[in-house]
Amino acid sequence: MPTTPSPAETPETPEGRAGRRLPSSTDVLIVGAGPTGLALASALRTMGVDHLLIDRAAAPAVHSRAAAAHARTLESLATIGAAEPLVARGRAGRAFVARDGERQVVSTPFDELDTPYPFVLAVPQQTTEEVLQARLEELGGTVHRRHTLLDLTELYPGMNALIVDDETGEVTSVQARYVVGCDGIHSTVRQRAGIPFVGHDRPHNFALIEFEMEWSGPEGEITFFFSPAGLLAVSHLPGDLYRIVALVDDDAGTPSLEDIQHMLDTRGPTAAGARVRRLEMASTWRVTHRLADTFSKGNVFLVGDAAHVHSPVGAQGMNTGIQDAFNLAWKLGAVLDGTASPALLNTYNAERRAIAQGVLGFTAQLHDASTLSDPQSIHLRNEVLAAASRIPEFQTWLARRLAQIATAYPGAEPGTPHPRVGERMPPRPGMAEGIGWSLLLPPGLGAETVQAVDEAAATSPTRLAVATVDDLPHAVLVRPDGHVALTAPGPEAATLPGALRAWLNRPWPAST
């Protein structure tokens, strides 16, 4: 029986070359098809926004650093239909736990958080990318792989991008209304836009290792072992695979099976009886903290690692980048469909850079606390954390911060009860499916008020899902990214659709 040649063996035909050709123009050019680029492309696709997604790699990364999806990320991915497929391929953990040998120092349980996803999902970044690419393709989108951005120049009313097909050598000029750099720490988009990337290297090297082992240690959690020999974080990935992130010496080479066994024996609990069986992958890297001076410049935007990088402690990097993508996606959609002023895009930098700056500070504190080596400092840290962990409010604060559901943007009115403007609105029945706006009403409104709200919503240029929520103190308009845009007393809820039209067309100032 004849066999079908692989893509690499298939002679390229004129038809095949035509299939690789890029359009001469697009509304949004996305450079980089990692998790942030794929999430952004899928979000734009659900809104019907014309876009082009390119990546220089031939396939999703096989070995990558991110291995945890937090609750806020899963809430966002649910709006594009990608959360459940990802959860099905991951392993849910009930908490982040720090231990000193056998002793539990601090625990951050996620199971009491107000979210449909009260856990941290252990899942390799490769799997996340596979799920997101599959979802993009289900939505009718595609990734143009083996295409590299060469240059960007201004071309009113957008940008002109020179892109090379790495297989054929053909260079295409693509005019894009907006360009989004999702192309990582060495971002070509950031460099061509001339945006400084300020920061420094931390004085620590980490090893990232995936392997199979026999293990009687803690399960159902992501565990950080504090040890004078160095930090060791252990998570159980799907199947028999485990992942550790370990502090290593500057001159450490790629860890061997013997090195991994030694790390587990000296840093983990002896009762776990770890026995390493098979090494899947291992790499080392130096921790870098960097923050772009701005996340937007003209019609160019930076998302994810192109805009911010930091310590892996706390698993915040990929999750923050995906939140960047969803913040930007609906704003691009609203501007391009004419319901919002282009000035709305100024809020992307104003909102997300401040959040990233906070994440860098938070992860730096976690990093410093986790990498102490002086015995006296270690003892003091453990005692302070153990005492704090006995305070329920501290546990809740830390869990919410790690899960990124505590994120809020400026705008709250003084004295207003929760949820306030800028705060996250937890998902509730009746909210918009997909990427859409929701008008949520408190209980007990009269029939005339509800009818007036329905009539006002029906005439709104922006489609609104209207629902009554039992635990609301007032009416709220919820943005497509799940944050509150506007509030009003229940009896005045019918004014919100009109107020939304004005809100979307405010002369939002460019942040400095």
Side-chain angles (χ1 to χ4, degrees):
M1 179 180 295
T3 59
T4 301
S6 69
E9 298 168 336
T10 304
E12 186 160 44
T13 64
E15 292 78 9
R17 287 193 297 273
R20 290 185 58 82
R21 286 176 186 159
L22 304 181
S24 60
S25 65
T26 186
D27 282 335
V28 183
L29 169 62
I30 306 169
V31 182
T36 57
L38 290 165
L40 177 60
S42 295
L44 294 179
R45 186 73 188 177
T46 64
M47 294 184 289
V49 174
D50 174 56
H51 68 275
L52 172 65
L53 173 60
I54 66 170
D55 195 288
R56 68 176 60 186
V62 175
H63 302 310
S64 46
R65 296 174 192 166
H70 283 300
R72 190 70 184 96
T73 295
L74 295 171
E75 290 178 358
S76 298
L77 295 181
T79 66
I80 58 171
E84 299 310 321
L86 188 62
V87 170
R89 295 185 59 180
R91 185 184 293 271
R94 63 180 181 272
F96 269 24
V97 179
R99 299 178 183 274
D100 179 9
E102 314 293 340
R103 178 193 181 193
Q104 178 175 299
V105 176
V106 64
S107 175
T108 57
F110 298 118
D111 51 5
E112 295 184 2
L113 296 178
D114 186 4
T115 173
Y117 307 97
F119 49 81
V120 55
L121 187 70
V123 59
Q125 183 176 323
Q126 178 186 2
T127 301
T128 301
E129 293 185 21
E130 290 171 353
V131 167
L132 286 172
Q133 180 165 330
R135 182 56 184 152
L136 176 62
E137 292 170 352
E138 288 173 359
L139 293 167
T142 189
V143 182
H144 292 268
R145 294 198 173 274
R146 299 298 309 279
H147 284 84
T148 300
L149 176 69
L150 296 178
D151 201 8
L152 277 178
T153 53
E154 292 187 38
L155 184 64
Y156 185 82
M159 304 293 293
N160 189 67
L162 290 181
I163 301 169
V164 62
D165 184 325
D166 295 328
E167 291 187 2
T168 67
E170 181 179 2
V171 176
T172 302
S173 175
V174 177
Q175 186 172 359
R177 184 71 180 84
Y178 299 102
V179 176
V180 185
C182 301
D183 48 345
I185 187 172
H186 302 295
S187 170
T188 301
V189 173
R190 188 187 64 242
Q191 294 170 14
R192 294 295 183 268
I195 299 174
F197 200 36
V198 180
H200 58 278
D201 291 342
R202 305 288 290 183
H204 296 110
N205 278 15
F206 278 90
L208 172 66
I209 311 164
E210 292 181 1
F211 57 96
E212 292 181 1
M213 71 171 170
E214 297 175 7
W215 169 257
S216 300
E219 289 285 357
E221 64 185 48
I222 294 180
T223 309
F224 290 82
F225 292 105
F226 292 155
S227 167
L231 176 69
L232 179 74
V234 180
S235 57
H236 191 175
L237 301 177
D240 296 328
L241 209 59
Y242 286 81
R243 167 180 283 207
I244 63 172
V245 176
L247 190 65
V248 296
D249 294 334
D250 289 350
D251 58 353
T254 303
S256 64
L257 281 174
E258 292 74 17
D259 296 328
I260 301 166
Q261 186 67 60
H262 180 72
M263 289 179 192
L264 291 163
D265 291 343
T266 57
R267 305 184 191 187
T270 56
R275 291 295 178 267
V276 179
R277 292 201 305 257
R278 184 181 66 85
L279 177 62
E280 178 76 14
M281 62 80 64
S283 64
T284 59
W285 83 98
R286 193 167 190 82
V287 173
T288 296
H289 280 222
R290 294 276 190 280
L291 182 68
D293 274 8
T294 179
F295 286 11
S296 63
K297 185 176 181 180
N299 290 27
V300 175
F301 301 89
L302 303 178
V303 170
D305 285 356
H308 48 80
V309 292
H310 44 77
S311 171
V313 179
Q316 299 293 291
M318 181 190 73
N319 292 275
T320 304
I322 289 176
Q323 293 308 303
D324 294 342
F326 280 94
N327 182 288
L328 180 60
W330 71 266
K331 294 173 182 177
L332 287 170
V335 170
L336 288 166
D337 72 13
T339 57
S341 162
L344 177 67
L345 295 172
N346 293 336
T347 64
Y348 172 68
N349 179 65
E351 292 179 344
R352 292 308 301 172
R353 189 176 185 278
I355 294 299
Q357 199 164 22
V359 170
L360 260 71
F362 179 56
T363 57
Q365 291 176 327
L366 293 177
H367 180 99
D368 291 343
S370 302
T371 55
L372 294 174
S373 56
D374 173 66
Q376 186 173 355
S377 299
I378 290 173
H379 174 75
L380 179 61
R381 174 202 61 198
N382 291 354
E383 294 307 310
V384 169
L385 288 177
S389 190
R390 291 191 287 270
I391 303 172
E393 291 80 5
F394 172 80
Q395 287 189 323
T396 300
W397 169 82
L398 186 55
R400 285 173 51 81
R401 183 69 186 266
L402 288 168
Q404 299 196 345
I405 65 174
T407 297
Y409 301 128
E413 308 96 327
T416 305
H418 298 283
R420 298 188 177 105
V421 167
E423 293 181 339
R424 161 188 167 269
M425 177 65 203
R428 292 289 185 264
M431 291 178 67
E433 295 183 2
I435 299 176
W437 285 81
S438 301
L439 174 49
L440 304 183
L441 309 176
L445 298 183
E448 291 185 2
T449 299
V450 174
Q451 182 178 352
V453 170
D454 289 338
E455 292 174 353
T459 62
S460 172
T462 300
R463 185 176 179 181
L464 299 171
V466 181
T468 298
V469 175
D470 290 341
D471 55 354
L472 275 185
H474 48 220
V476 298
L477 261 174
V478 184
R479 304 173 0 172
D481 60 359
H483 289 264
V484 175
L486 296 167
T487 67
E492 301 173 19
T495 65
L496 286 176
L500 173 59
R501 186 181 309 185
W503 187 91
L504 288 170
N505 289 280
R506 284 182 186 177
W508 298 97
S511 54
T512 56

